[in-house]
Amino acid sequence: MTPSLKKNKAMRISEFIHELSRWNLAATALFSLLAGCATGPTPKGPSNFVFYPSPPDAPRLQFLTSFSGEKDLGGGASKFAAFVTGASPPQRVISKPYGMALSRGQLYVCDTSQGAIAILDLAKRKFSYLDPKGEGQLRTPINITVDQDGIRYVADRGHNQVLIFGPDDTYQGAIGEKSTNLLTTAEGATANPASLAGEQKGLRPTDVAVIGNRIYVTDLNQNCVRVYSKANRDLLFKIPLEAKDEAAKLFAPTNLAIDSHQSLYVSDFAGFCVKKYDADGKYLQTFGRVGDRPGEFARPKGVAVDREDRVYVVDAAAQVIQVFDADGRLLLFFGEPNGSAVALDLPAKVIIDYDHVGLFQQYAAPGFQLEYLVLASNQFGDRKVNVYGFGHKK
């Protein structure tokens, strides 16, 4: 074990939280619109809203609500079924979430313990599962992305594959066929085996992203990001491009994000940082480093980027989300890991959404206009998916 890893293993998270609080004032000076740390535990209610930063600073980020299962949608179980059977069916819940995607009014949550993907229809207030049978049956779905065509790409660690489903939930094929090292279609035929020979062996995907006509897949086996053609799923190249480029090197790539310029952000769990590449794999910069101070990471996981190129990074050890500007400077952090009613509890994923703000404006405080949403998954606790809104006073 390297000295840096020993240092990380021995760090005391309580000291990290104390250090974050001390650095909060400095972070505020860097970013006047987004700053500060939240207040302590705050009960939910129409007159009790949790804002970041805390007063007297102007509120910019509000905790809105959370989802942990069917009951939180408000639709509830069928009254007719209860009338017929004499008992209400059990409420379906999210057990241990990791990856998420929000598309066309539906929130997809990868439930690793149930081996399924929960689908929360936010408009219709219905709860269902993406739980296909047969060749496309899920085992341990860890991350999901939905492209503009409605195609769902699921990184499944149980299969060591990326499973691909159509908008109608039909299984369309996979990347990383574990038994033959070849790509298969829904009909079972192999596709372009020559281009994949030897390259698919031992694929260990943890996340998947789509940029234009390319599919990006993290691979913990070779500690790289594999890039495939979306049209025929041929392997095109791997990131980093040069094995000897130390700055671009990845140690344990786990999560991906894409910015408005189609740049790729890779959360490197064992590198204690996030690395940025252009769409063709050229290394651009690094965010953060190992340590116990703000701007440093102990267990970086999910990563997301807003339209202003602010980078949101989950640190599961400190149980906070840190936010950086495009130049890598820390702007703020948020999260309440010390017993708060709206705590981040072993957070894993963070996503940003601009398309569904209207569905959540009802949760905003009077006079607070939402601009976009920030969602974070929690692997433990009573709140499995926290929803925050970035906005401003009207």
Side-chain angles (χ1 to χ4, degrees):
M1 183 178 292
T2 64
S4 62
L5 289 177
K6 289 181 179 179
K7 174 185 176 183
N8 174 63
K9 188 177 183 62
M11 72 171 56
R12 293 183 296 172
I13 300 306
S14 61
E15 292 182 356
F16 184 27
I17 300 300
H18 174 75
E19 197 68 19
L20 284 173
S21 299
R22 187 175 65 83
W23 274 56
N24 184 49
L25 294 177
T28 303
L30 287 174
F31 191 27
S32 60
L33 292 181
L34 280 175
C37 182
T39 59
T42 305
K44 291 183 68 176
S47 61
N48 296 286
F49 300 100
V50 180
F51 283 105
Y52 310 82
S54 56
D57 294 317
R60 299 301 296 180
L61 193 70
Q62 180 192 339
F63 173 84
L64 300 175
T65 188
S66 64
F67 297 104
S68 294
E70 189 172 15
K71 65 179 178 60
D72 296 313
L73 290 173
S78 168
K79 293 183 179 179
F80 179 74
F83 172 77
V84 172
T85 63
S88 298
Q91 294 278 346
R92 290 169 289 189
V93 299
I94 303 169
S95 297
K96 192 174 182 180
Y98 196 106
M100 301 177 293
L102 185 51
S103 175
R104 303 181 185 185
Q106 295 185 320
L107 174 62
Y108 299 84
V109 183
C110 294
D111 194 329
T112 58
S113 67
Q114 296 196 52
I117 295 176
I119 304 176
L120 285 69
D121 192 316
L122 302 177
K124 297 179 180 179
R125 298 181 178 274
K126 292 184 178 180
F127 188 106
S128 61
Y129 291 103
L130 174 61
D131 188 18
K133 306 303 179 184
E135 191 176 3
Q137 183 173 4
L138 300 170
R139 291 184 180 175
T140 312
I142 189 170
N143 264 310
I144 180 172
T145 191
V146 183
D147 73 7
Q148 60 184 2
D149 300 322
I151 306 296
R152 297 91 173 264
Y153 299 84
V154 181
D156 191 303
R157 286 287 290 109
H159 284 288
N160 280 330
Q161 296 175 295
V162 173
L163 305 179
I164 304 171
F165 302 92
D168 58 355
D169 297 349
T170 56
Y171 175 68
Q172 295 190 348
I175 295 174
E177 178 61 35
K178 62 179 181 180
S179 59
T180 62
N181 295 334
L182 298 178
L183 195 77
T184 59
T185 66
E187 292 75 27
T190 59
N192 300 303
S195 68
L196 294 166
E199 291 295 332
Q200 296 293 344
K201 184 178 180 180
L203 178 64
R204 296 175 59 199
T206 57
D207 203 359
V208 55
V210 177
I211 302 178
N213 60 357
R214 293 173 177 174
I215 304 169
Y216 295 74
V217 181
T218 55
D219 180 13
L220 281 178
N221 181 56
Q222 295 190 16
N223 293 322
C224 68
V225 177
R226 296 173 178 266
V227 185
Y228 300 87
S229 166
K230 183 180 176 182
N232 55 24
R233 303 172 198 159
D234 281 351
L235 179 66
L236 302 176
F237 58 92
K238 293 182 288 186
I239 301 172
L241 300 175
E242 299 292 336
K244 295 182 179 180
D245 187 347
E246 290 298 322
K249 188 175 181 179
L250 294 168
F251 295 90
T254 56
N255 289 270
L256 300 172
I258 304 166
D259 69 12
S260 58
H261 310 291
Q262 296 193 333
S263 296
L264 182 73
Y265 297 74
V266 185
S267 178
D268 191 347
F269 186 84
F272 309 101
C273 65
V274 169
K275 293 195 174 182
K276 179 182 177 181
Y277 306 83
D278 69 15
D280 294 321
K282 179 183 177 182
Y283 168 76
L284 299 176
Q285 70 183 106
T286 295
F287 295 80
R289 61 183 180 182
V290 63
D292 58 357
R293 293 170 176 260
E296 301 174 340
F297 300 114
R299 297 177 65 189
K301 288 190 174 182
V303 57
V305 187
D306 68 18
R307 289 178 179 173
E308 301 299 322
D309 294 332
R310 293 184 285 258
V311 183
Y312 296 66
V313 186
V314 171
D315 193 320
Q319 301 191 113
V320 297
I321 295 175
Q322 299 193 62
V323 186
F324 300 82
D325 69 10
D327 295 322
R329 295 174 296 184
L330 178 67
L331 302 177
L332 80 138
F333 60 89
F334 63 94
E336 303 178 64
N338 296 320
S340 167
V342 294
L344 291 174
D345 198 345
L346 195 60
K349 190 74 172 182
V350 58
I351 62 174
I352 291 173
D353 178 84
Y354 288 83
D355 299 328
H356 300 85
V357 171
L359 294 175
F360 290 90
Q361 184 61 51
Q362 61 180 310
Y363 299 101
F368 191 70
Q369 180 63 48
L370 303 183
E371 298 174 25
Y372 60 86
L373 306 173
V374 181
L375 290 81
S377 63
N378 297 298
Q379 294 190 290
F380 291 102
D382 297 329
R383 301 171 186 267
K384 300 302 185 182
V385 177
N386 282 4
V387 184
Y388 305 85
F390 176 86
H392 61 274
K393 286 186 175 181
K394 295 180 181 178

